[in-house]
C-alpha cells in the first residue's frame, strides 16, 4: 500500500512530526518518516538525515560543521527530492505531507518539485499567506496556512495539523483511476487567455474529434511554465501554443511572465507544435494604481479591478515577432506558425480598445523570418482559425484527418 511520506526537519520539528505520524496511523495510513534536518533527530526516522544527505552527494556532519543554513537547506532539499524519486519509482508514495517555516517549506517544495502532477503534495507552512510562487512553482502543490508557528501541539495547531493529516490520508487512499476511454488518447497541450478563449475552444473541439485529449493552460506565467514542464516531460504528442502573451510580459515587464524559457521546451524535445501570436497585443499588470509610472501615458485598459492591460507598441510587437520566429526556428521537431491578420485577441478586433493594425503588422512582418509562416485573413477568434491550427497540428503529429 502506498504510504503518506512525511518529510521534515526532525531536529527542530520532531514533536510535530511524531504527532502527525501517530495521527496518520490512527487514520489507517501507512507512514514513512523522512528526516531532512542536519541536527540530531528527536524522533526516529524511517529514512535518516544521513541517507538524505548522501542522496545529494553530501554528508550531514560536514553540513553541520559548515554552519551555513542556506547551503544545508539546499542540500537537504536536493537529497529529499532524490529520496522521493526513488520511493515513487518503487510505487511507495501515495501522498507527501510536510510542515515547517521558511526553511522546512523550502526543503519540502524542492522535494516534491519533480513528482508527477496528480500525486498529492501538501505543505503546511507559515509562509502560505504571502507570495507562494517559490513553493508551488508549476506543480499541483497544496499549501495550508499554519496560522500559528510550527512550535508544539496546541489547540490551534492540533486542529490544523489534524486537518492536514486527514487530507493527506484521504488523498493517498483515493485513486480516481483513468477516465473511461481516455487513457489511450494522445495528449495535446494548448495555451489560452480569456481574450483567446473562442479560438482555443474551436481548436479543442476539433482536436477532440481527431482523437486527442487536450490539456488547456491559462497563460498567466505559472500556466506557461506548467506547459513548458509538461512538454519537457515527454508526455505530450503535440502543443497548440495559440496564446503566447507571456512573451510580452517577459519583454516589457508585466506581471505574468513565464520567463525567457517560454516557447522552448517543445522545440528542444522535438514535440510537434503549432504556434500563434495570441494576445501579444497586451502586457498584464495588477490594479490600475500598480502600473509603473513610466507607462502612465500608454494605452491602458482596466480589464477588471485586479487586472490592467497595456497595449504593446509597434516596436515591442516587432521585437516579439522576432523572438517568436527565432524560438520556432530553433525547434528540433516539426513546427508551424499561424498569423491572424485581423487581430490577435478579443481586444484587438476592429472597434475594440487595442485595435492597432500597424502594430500588429510590425509583429507579422518580423514573424516572416520563420519559413512557411501562414498568414490567414482571419481574426484569431474566428472559429476557422482555431480549427486550422488543430488540423495542422494533427498533420505534424502524423495523423490523418
Amino acid at each position: 500500500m502506498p504510504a503518506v511520506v512525511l518529510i521534515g526537519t526532525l531536529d527542530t520539528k520532531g514533536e510535530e512530526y511524531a504527532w502527525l505520524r501517530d495521527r496518520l496511523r490512527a487514520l489507517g495510513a501507512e507512514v514513512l518518516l523522512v528526516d531532512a534536518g542536519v541536527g540530531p533527530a528527536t524522533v526516529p526516522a524511517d529514512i535518516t538525515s544521513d541517507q538524505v544527505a548522501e542522496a545529494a552527494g553530501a554528508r550531514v556532519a560536514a553540513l553541520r560543521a559548515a554552519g551555513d543554513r542556506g547551503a544545508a537547506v539546499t542540500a537537504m532539499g536536493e537529497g529529499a527530492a532524490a529520496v522521493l524519486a526513488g520511493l515513487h519509482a518503487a510505487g511507495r508514495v501515495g501522498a507527501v505531507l510536510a510542515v515547517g517555516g521558511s526553511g522546512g517549506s523550502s526543503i519540502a517544495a524542492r522535494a516534491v518539485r519533480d513528482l508527477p502532477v496528480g500525486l498529492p503534495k501538501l505543505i503546511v507552512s507559515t509562509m502560505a499567506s504571502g507570495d507562494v510562487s517559490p513553493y508551488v512553482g508549476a506543480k499541483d502543490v497544496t499549501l495550508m496556512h499554519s496560522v500559528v508557528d510550527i512550535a508544539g501541539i496546541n489547540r490551534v495547531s492540533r486542529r490544523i495539523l489534524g486537518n492536514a493529516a486527514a487530507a493527506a490520508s484521504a488523498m493517498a487512499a483515493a485513486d480516481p483511476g483513468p477516465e473511461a476511454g481516455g487513457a489511450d488518447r494522445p495528449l495535446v497541450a494548448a495555451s489560452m487567455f480569456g481574450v483567446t478563449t473562442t479560438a482555443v475552444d474551436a481548436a479543442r473541439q476539433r482536436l477532440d474529434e481527431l482523437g486527442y485529449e487536450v490539456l488547456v493552460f491559462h497563460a498567466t506565467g505559472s500556466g506557461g511554465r506548467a506547459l513548458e514542464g509538461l512538454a519537457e516531460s515527454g508526455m505530450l504528442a503535440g502543443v497548440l501554443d495559440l496564446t503566447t502573451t507571456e512573451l510580452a510580459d517577459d519583454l516589457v515587464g508585466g506581471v505574468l511572465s513565464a520567463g525567457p524559457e517560454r516557447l522552448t521546451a517543445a522545440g528542444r524535445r522535438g514535440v510537434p507544435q503549432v504556434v500563434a501570436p495570441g494576445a501579444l497585443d497586451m502586457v498584464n499588470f495588477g490594479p490600475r494604481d500598480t502600473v509603473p509610472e513610466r507607462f502612465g501615458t500608454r494605452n491602458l485598459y482596466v480589464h477588471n479591478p485586479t487586472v490592467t492591460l497595456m497595449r504593446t507598441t509597434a516596436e515591442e510587437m516587432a521585437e516579439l515577432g522576432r523572438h517568436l520566429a527565432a524560438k520556432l526556428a530553433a525547434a528540433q521537431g516539426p513546427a508551424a506558425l499561424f498569423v491572424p491578420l485581423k487581430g490577435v485577441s478579443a481586444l484587438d478586433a476592429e472597434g475594440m480598445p487595442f485595435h492597432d493594425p500597424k502594430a500588429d503588422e510590425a509583429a507579422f512582418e518580423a514573424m516572416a523570418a520563420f519559413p512557411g509562416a501562414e498568414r490567414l485573413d482571419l481574426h484569431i477568434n474566428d472559429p476557422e482559425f482555431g480549427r486550422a491550427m488543430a488540423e495542422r497540428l494533427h498533420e505534424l503529429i502524423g495523423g490523418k484527418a
Side-chain angles (χ1 to χ4, degrees):
M1 175 182 176
V4 175
V5 181
L6 290 173
I7 293 185
T9 53
L10 302 189
D11 51 349
T12 61
K13 308 297 181 191
E15 177 186 359
E16 296 81 3
Y17 273 94
W19 189 91
L20 279 169
R21 177 200 59 204
D22 294 345
R23 183 61 188 147
L24 284 162
R25 286 175 176 168
L27 290 166
E30 182 180 338
V31 182
L32 284 173
L33 184 54
V34 179
D35 184 10
V38 295
T42 58
V43 297
D46 297 297
I47 298 175
T48 67
S49 59
D50 286 321
Q51 291 172 291
V52 172
E54 288 168 8
R59 294 174 59 247
V60 165
L63 293 171
R64 189 184 305 154
D68 186 334
R69 185 172 184 270
V73 166
T74 298
M76 297 307 278
E78 293 295 331
V83 167
L84 266 183
L87 291 173
H88 178 257
R92 299 187 66 191
V93 183
V96 180
L97 173 59
V99 301
S102 61
S105 299
S106 294
I107 290 171
R110 174 62 192 96
V112 301
R113 188 181 72 193
D114 300 330
L115 292 175
V117 170
L119 193 151
K121 317 163 188 70
L122 174 58
I123 303 174
V124 183
S125 175
T126 61
M127 307 298 289
S129 64
D131 178 10
V132 299
S133 58
Y135 306 106
V136 176
K139 286 296 178 68
D140 56 334
V141 177
T142 300
L143 289 183
M144 181 182 290
H145 188 208
S146 65
V147 181
V148 295
D149 204 351
I150 310 297
I153 302 300
N154 53 60
R155 70 179 65 184
V156 175
S157 64
R158 182 179 293 108
R159 185 61 183 268
I160 292 169
L161 296 183
N163 287 342
S169 175
M171 287 190 288
D175 181 4
E179 291 289 334
D184 58 349
R185 290 163 65 90
L187 284 176
V188 165
S191 53
M192 187 173 80
F193 226 28
V195 293
T196 61
T197 297
T198 303
V200 176
D201 281 348
R204 182 167 53 86
Q205 181 179 7
R206 182 61 183 137
L207 286 167
D208 183 70
E209 293 169 353
L210 291 167
Y212 298 93
E213 183 177 356
V214 183
L215 309 176
V216 179
F217 294 84
H218 199 192
T220 55
S222 60
R225 290 191 296 273
L227 188 158
E228 295 294 310
L230 199 62
E232 191 70 51
S233 75
M235 292 177 61
L236 298 177
V239 175
L240 191 132
D241 219 339
L242 188 144
T243 310
T244 47
T245 184
E246 291 149 317
L247 299 177
D249 282 63
D250 188 55
L251 175 69
V252 183
V255 299
L256 298 186
S257 170
E261 293 300 304
R262 181 71 175 91
L263 199 62
T264 61
R268 186 166 54 249
R269 288 298 302 265
V271 178
Q273 57 184 323
V274 179
V275 178
L280 284 187
D281 59 319
M282 59 187 65
V283 178
N284 294 265
F285 296 102
R288 175 64 180 83
D289 60 5
T290 68
V291 177
E293 186 176 344
R294 67 183 183 277
F295 296 133
T297 60
R298 297 279 293 269
N299 182 1
L300 300 173
Y301 178 78
V302 178
H303 185 61
N304 60 49
T306 60
V307 176
T308 304
L309 306 174
M310 181 177 76
R311 201 351 169 151
T312 42
T313 65
E315 292 76 15
E316 291 162 352
M317 289 290 279
E319 185 66 16
L320 288 167
R322 286 190 286 271
H323 283 182
L324 196 152
K327 286 172 183 283
L328 285 183
Q332 300 299 304
L337 174 59
F338 277 60
V339 179
L341 297 179
K342 291 187 176 179
V344 299
S345 85
L347 289 180
D348 189 28
E350 187 173 358
M352 297 300 290
F354 284 176
H355 183 59
D356 189 344
K358 290 184 179 179
D360 289 350
E361 186 55 35
F364 301 161
E365 289 179 1
M367 290 175 199
F370 179 72
E374 299 191 36
R375 295 166 63 99
L376 278 67
D377 192 27
L378 296 168
H379 185 271
I380 198 166
N381 282 326
D382 288 336
E384 299 94 322
F385 187 85
R387 287 196 292 268
M389 287 188 67
E391 288 169 2
R392 175 55 60 85
L393 182 60
H394 182 56
E395 293 173 7
L396 294 184
I397 292 171
K400 295 180 179 179

